[in-house]
Amino acid sequence: MNIKIKEEARKMKLDAPKLAATAPEQRNRALEMIADALQSHASEIFEANHQDMEAAKASGVAAAVCKRLKFDEGKLRDVLGGIRQLISLPDPLGKVQLERELDEGLKLYRISCPIGVIGIIFEARPDALVQISTLCLKSGNCAILKGGKETVHTNRVLFRIIYESALAAGMPEGCMLQAEQHNEIDELLSCHKDVDLLIPRGSNQFVQYIMNHTKIPVMGHADGICHIYVDEKFDPEKAIPVIIDAKTQYTAACNTVETLLVNRKIAGEFLPVLADQLQAHGVKIRGTREVNGIIPCEIMEEEEFHTEYLDLILSVKLVEDVREAVEHINYYGSHHTDCILTEHQEHAEYFMQMVDSAGVYQNCSTRFADGFRYGFGAEVGISTGKIHARGPVGLEGLVTYKYRLFGQGQIVGDYASGKKKFHFRDFV
Amino acid sequence: MNIKIKEEARKMKLDAPKLAATAPEQRNRALEMIADALQSHASEIFEANHQDMEAAKASGVAAAVCKRLKFDEGKLRDVLGGIRQLISLPDPLGKVQLERELDEGLKLYRISCPIGVIGIIFEARPDALVQISTLCLKSGNCAILKGGKETVHTNRVLFRIIYESALAAGMPEGCMLQAEQHNEIDELLSCHKDVDLLIPRGSNQFVQYIMNHTKIPVMGHADGICHIYVDEKFDPEKAIPVIIDAKTQYTAACNTVETLLVNRKIAGEFLPVLADQLQAHGVKIRGTREVNGIIPCEIMEEEEFHTEYLDLILSVKLVEDVREAVEHINYYGSHHTDCILTEHQEHAEYFMQMVDSAGVYQNCSTRFADGFRYGFGAEVGISTGKIHARGPVGLEGLVTYKYRLFGQGQIVGDYASGKKKFHFRDFV
């Protein structure tokens, strides 16, 4: 079914204030109905997913990818748990962020409200559709959802169940829309008059394509080049498990470490021990000539430190001190998540102040950069941009605010002429 | 002097964490030194401005524009007052927005920090250079400033005084940069790797050009199509002065009203009275055929309601009720600032909830949409976008945040396997 995204987006934009005006109880009720309906339609969902899995196997999709396509009892339990957590979170809308009397009888409020219409293009994980659509609903945002074609049958069933439940709970018709055709992505990119924000999730090239072909603000990240710096004052008991976890716990994730910077003073002792552990976990080491003088590794050039492997490969370089580590990270990094392994509090403070990234860590795995692990309930993505939201983006990243000014006939002319004066009294 | 913007932006990006790490006292000290230096160099500034004014007159620049180019005792007093207000405002950096223990010994903080490098392209008002550069300094942001060519001499002197004072107060070399050549704008637009945000101020066409030719996030507005809706339950004592002020107090401003929507039930009585007043203030009325049946006016077509006049012209249309007014505004408006004139609290509530604009007003002039009038000290611009900042943008709109996570060797594998569990305890 080919829908006219442009026309639909226009309608959604005009419907968006209706969704924004719904009561929090009503939005939570919709989430409850969605959870119930997903549960009662479980067999239908699994059947559709079976169809997608068969098609994937038939077309030779790798087993690792197939694992992500799967939507079974376990995944259903997870998404239902996510929805229940979302219901329990406080309403992000209608919060009074500022209450200021500008002058007698002239009162300004800044109140949180939804962004409006959000377009989300996500990879081939059907559970992402449930997470993203329910996050948007809770935050009062209309959502245009485009999932991966590998799970088209699962997505279609999931969307129908979610959308019908939302309507039954009184949400406006334009609250969500599913796009299924690949060519609809380009149409969506041209809807800058009606779509307020795009959140693409996928490969570096895909996100770059989106960023280069739209005037709509884009939130997310292309690269995830995360670093770990092993300081001279490090604790090897912590360092080795953290490095192994950050590299191997889920290789394809954006928060996986790609580059290890090691303080020159401790490299001779530390690197051989680490190399054994990395080898035992199947990680290939690439390093500078200097690193190659200490442990066997493939030699790499300086400009290759821009590389995101998303694979069992690690770049290694020696640095003089925390200052040089910070310089390297700010120059070659992607401003995602970077970690220092140190027991030296001043070095940690310097690192966390000076590294220009969404996440700066001391003594823990970069893999913690995630909405669930930060306690946000869920995330729509991780932003390496610095505008609006940074790092994992949950409910708070999906709201903006508006200024409400209540007067009694005040005009600016009286303040310009000096007849009246502002007195600015804050209440919130 | 032609500078290599790209190289300079790269250097600034790497210097930005140094500026971000300065203490608030140090940034305030820099502001004090800037205020002192502007005062002691007053005659030099006035002389440079005299040169610009002579050149403007010689090339036939309109008197109204010349007024904006002028930088005299009064303007100096204003900008010095602005700097003093800025010094007195609390530091926007280093605020703990979230403090959460994810698990024993694993603590997450969200802390406000500067955006980084901001490019600001502003119109021909030398006082804007002082306001913008001091706002950026207070918020710890590096600024690339490009002012209008009409005040090139004034800007050069002002920039030199400000920059030298900033350096003398210990700010890093890359804290600010002045671009003077028009071709440097295009170079600036291509610096998406190093410039975090662009704030263009100028004509609709100019802002559109910027938005269409860069991958850098742009904050600001192209159109300012503001509306006033006169409800059936309006108070004429308030309505007429507010409409006249909103249209005539400063015609060229973005927050000037362009379209008046009048409830059909009160149009027959109200419009003739209003028309007399508008005429007395030199305002030309354009209206629908229906309006023309009540008062003499130039007839306009529906699609012309997208027009921003920035002149003594007002579009007028009749609507059935507050619902139709909201629909018109959300369809034809630019999401800037819109006002309802009513004594009916429910109508006001409906309007303020449903109009999708940065500012929604009851019974006061749209001209109040301004950083000074909101008590922000100053503004870098007004945003009609919904991402990051909306409405007048002051210090708060110039910061973002970063997540700091302090651990003791925690790895994600332990949480994925169920060996450990998050407990999420909030402190802030």
Side-chain angles (χ1 to χ4, degrees), chain B residues 360-393:
Chain B
V360 281
Y361 289 12
Q362 181 189 12
N363 293 337
C364 51
S365 171
T366 53
R367 290 273 301 125
F368 281 106
D370 173 277
F372 288 98
R373 292 176 202 128
Y374 279 11
F376 298 169
E379 66 174 33
V380 285
I382 292 184
S383 170
T384 56
K386 294 155 123 183
I387 305 305
H388 194 73
R390 209 176 182 195
V393 179

Side-chain angles (χ1 to χ4, degrees), chain B residues 267-413:
Chain B
E269 196 173 333
F270 176 63
L271 275 183
V273 184
L274 177 70
D276 283 351
Q277 287 290 322
L278 286 171
Q279 209 175 2
H281 284 84
V283 179
K284 181 173 123 182
I285 301 174
R286 305 187 71 218
T288 55
R289 280 175 182 75
E290 193 182 6
V291 170
N292 189 51
I294 303 173
I295 50 169
C297 67
E298 190 179 301
I299 290 174
M300 65 186 289
E301 302 303 326
E302 185 73 14
E303 59 273 22
E304 292 181 88
F305 281 102
H306 279 298
T307 315
E308 182 182 22
Y309 298 112
L310 297 173
D311 202 349
L312 289 170
I313 309 173
L314 185 66
S315 301
V316 183
K317 181 184 174 176
L318 306 192
V319 292
E320 197 48 40
D321 54 15
V322 64
R323 271 161 219 282
E324 195 186 335
V326 168
E327 270 171 35
H328 178 99
I329 294 169
N330 284 345
Y331 191 87
Y332 288 103
S334 64
H335 313 288
H336 192 298
T337 303
D338 302 290
C339 173
I340 181 171
L341 296 171
T342 189
E343 302 301 306
H344 192 291
Q345 233 15 68
E346 262 173 56
H347 291 179
E349 263 309 312
Y350 179 84
F351 183 92
M352 293 170 106
Q353 172 67 48
M354 300 301 280
V355 167
D356 183 22
S357 294
V360 281
Y361 289 12
Q362 181 189 12
N363 293 337
C364 51
S365 171
T366 53
R367 290 273 301 125
F368 281 106
D370 173 277
F372 288 98
R373 292 176 202 128
Y374 279 11
F376 298 169
E379 66 174 33
V380 285
I382 292 184
S383 170
T384 56
K386 294 155 123 183
I387 305 305
H388 194 73
R390 209 176 182 195
V393 179
L395 284 178
E396 269 189 73
L398 294 178
V399 300
T400 179
Y401 50 77
K402 73 207 271 188
Y403 287 98
R404 297 181 181 208
L405 182 62
F406 294 88
Q408 298 170 348
Q410 283 86 346
I411 62 172
V412 164

Side-chain angles (χ1 to χ4, degrees), chain A residues 292-328:
Chain A
N292 188 53
I294 304 174
I295 49 167
C297 68
E298 190 180 302
I299 290 174
M300 66 185 287
E301 301 303 326
E302 184 73 17
E303 58 273 22
E304 292 180 87
F305 281 101
H306 279 298
T307 314
E308 182 183 21
Y309 299 112
L310 297 173
D311 202 349
L312 288 170
I313 310 173
L314 184 67
S315 301
V316 183
K317 181 185 174 176
L318 306 192
V319 293
E320 197 47 41
D321 55 13
V322 64
R323 274 162 218 282
E324 195 186 334
V326 167
E327 269 171 37
H328 178 100

Side-chain angles (χ1 to χ4, degrees), chain A residues 100 115 215 245 352-353 355 358 360 362-363 374 386 388 390 400-403 405-407 409 412-413, chain B residues 100 115 212 215 245 352-353 355 358 360 362-363 374 386 388 390 400-403 405-407 409 412-413:
Chain A
R100 175 175 292 167
I115 290 174
K215 291 184 212 167
D245 185 83
M352 293 171 106
Q353 173 68 46
V355 167
V360 281
Q362 181 189 12
N363 293 337
Y374 279 10
K386 294 155 120 182
H388 194 72
R390 208 176 183 194
T400 179
Y401 50 77
K402 74 209 271 191
Y403 287 98
L405 182 62
F406 295 89
V412 164
Chain B
R100 174 175 294 166
I115 290 174
N212 292 344
K215 292 185 211 167
D245 185 82
M352 293 170 106
Q353 172 67 48
V355 167
V360 281
Q362 181 189 12
N363 293 337
Y374 279 11
K386 294 155 123 183
H388 194 73
R390 209 176 182 195
T400 179
Y401 50 77
K402 73 207 271 188
Y403 287 98
L405 182 62
F406 294 88
V412 164

Side-chain angles (χ1 to χ4, degrees), chain A residues 59-243:
Chain A
S59 64
V61 169
V65 179
C66 277
K67 205 178 143 194
R68 311 179 72 200
L69 305 184
K70 192 151 189 164
F71 195 92
D72 54 10
E73 285 283 358
K75 288 278 177 73
L76 180 62
R77 206 169 37 238
D78 287 351
V79 301
L80 293 179
I83 295 174
R84 274 188 282 270
Q85 199 179 351
L86 212 47
I87 293 171
S88 73
L89 290 175
D91 187 27
L93 307 181
K95 279 191 192 163
V96 180
Q97 304 170 336
L98 176 92
E99 183 182 341
R100 175 175 292 167
E101 199 178 70
L102 306 183
D103 189 10
E104 210 58 44
L106 186 64
K107 210 153 167 193
L108 181 73
Y109 295 84
R110 192 172 81 189
I111 295 182
S112 69
C113 65
I115 290 174
V117 179
I118 303 181
I120 301 140
I121 311 164
F122 54 99
E123 70 270 65
R125 277 178 43 221
D127 43 332
L129 188 148
V130 184
Q131 282 163 26
I132 292 167
S133 60
T134 51
L135 264 173
C136 286
L137 204 55
K138 173 88 183 188
S139 58
N141 285 291
C142 298
I144 301 177
L145 303 156
K146 169 72 181 77
K149 66 176 187 320
E150 297 81 358
T151 49
V152 62
H153 295 100
T154 320
N155 287 346
R156 197 175 289 162
V157 172
L158 288 173
F159 179 83
R160 203 201 65 227
I161 295 168
I162 293 170
Y163 184 56
E164 284 176 0
S165 306
L167 291 191
M171 299 295 115
E173 228 174 279
C175 67
M176 56 183 85
L177 176 73
Q178 186 175 36
E180 291 192 328
Q181 308 300 322
H182 191 73
N183 61 19
E184 290 169 358
I185 294 179
D186 281 325
E187 206 183 328
L188 177 59
L189 297 188
S190 71
C191 295
H192 52 271
K193 281 205 192 304
D194 297 312
V195 176
D196 296 295
L197 179 66
L198 280 180
I199 305 179
R201 291 168 53 148
S203 70
N204 184 319
Q205 294 88 322
F206 174 71
V207 176
Q208 289 284 3
Y209 176 85
I210 301 284
M211 289 175 168
N212 293 344
H213 290 85
T214 188
K215 291 184 212 167
I216 305 170
V218 177
M219 188 155 76
H221 66 273
D223 287 312
I225 306 174
C226 300
H227 299 74
I228 293 180
Y229 163 61
V230 188
D231 190 43
E232 58 195 292
K233 303 287 181 196
F234 80 113
D235 173 356
E237 295 288 309
K238 294 172 190 162
I240 289 177
V242 165
I243 294 167

